[in-house]
Amino acid sequence: ARKLRVFCVFQQALPQERALALLCSVMRHRVAFRKLGRRTEHRIAMLRNLVSSLIKHERIETTLPKAKEMRRLADKMITLAKQGDLAARRRAAAFVYGEETVRKLFDVLGPRYQERQGGYTRVMRSRYREGDNALMAWVEYVDREGEIRPARPPKGIADALTDATPDGVVTRTGQKE
């Protein structure tokens, strides 16, 4: 019904109004974040809570849209932890809840992913929640103890590992140490 109304108004409109109607129709180009059915303050607080919980527990279960949205922010926090300077620590502390969470981020997670260039989190669909049938997902950090699915090595390393010999360790470039 809405499209029909828009189309009827569109035919009667002036050329400038037609152009405006085309711009304001249905496409969401260059819209970065999901709204998740919440006001801005509530959404930001919820994502901060999710990222803080992920840093604390290293694996959490949430709905799939929240997980996909939270993954971006969790990866940015790891990037800050890899920088390791005071400015990065202050930026992370301004986003993440709890001093012990910031400490774990910079003392444990930052050094763990120092060699990895992105892709610190994994989102896996898990089940449909009882009650509202929402699709749930596990979010976890890769390359850690007790992960649900082991991480695959990056493409360049996978080829080098097939050429590895038992008496040496293969580095990222494929050279034996």
Side-chain angles (χ1 to χ4, degrees), residues 81-136:
K82 284 172 58 177
Q83 292 173 4
D85 57 349
L86 181 61
R89 186 177 286 267
R90 285 179 176 166
R91 286 178 59 198
F95 186 80
V96 173
Y97 293 124
E99 290 178 19
E100 63 279 349
T101 309
V102 175
R103 209 170 301 121
K104 180 178 181 181
L105 179 65
F106 279 82
D107 296 343
V108 177
L109 298 177
R112 181 191 301 169
Y113 297 112
Q114 198 64 43
E115 295 298 317
R116 181 179 273 272
Q117 297 179 4
Y120 313 111
T121 54
R122 173 186 302 128
V123 176
M124 294 177 295
R125 296 170 188 221
S126 61
R127 63 186 174 94
Y128 289 95
R129 183 167 58 194
E130 258 184 72
D132 63 353
N133 209 29
L135 184 56
M136 302 296 286

Side-chain angles (χ1 to χ4, degrees), residues 47 50-60 62 64 66-79 82 105 109 112-113 116-125 137-144 147-152:
L47 291 172
L50 286 171
V51 170
S52 300
S53 296
L54 180 65
I55 292 169
K56 183 177 180 182
H57 301 289
E58 296 191 22
R59 179 193 307 157
I60 59 172
T62 183
L64 186 64
K66 288 180 197 170
K68 288 180 177 180
E69 201 58 42
M70 188 238 338
R71 173 180 51 190
R72 312 167 62 168
L73 301 170
D75 285 351
K76 286 181 182 179
M77 291 299 112
I78 295 292
T79 303
K82 284 172 58 177
L105 179 65
L109 298 177
R112 181 191 301 169
Y113 297 112
R116 181 179 273 272
Q117 297 179 4
Y120 313 111
T121 54
R122 173 186 302 128
V123 176
M124 294 177 295
R125 296 170 188 221
W138 286 102
V139 183
E140 69 175 358
Y141 284 119
V142 298
D143 293 337
R144 66 178 191 86
E147 60 185 336
I148 295 174
R149 184 182 61 80
R152 294 183 212 113

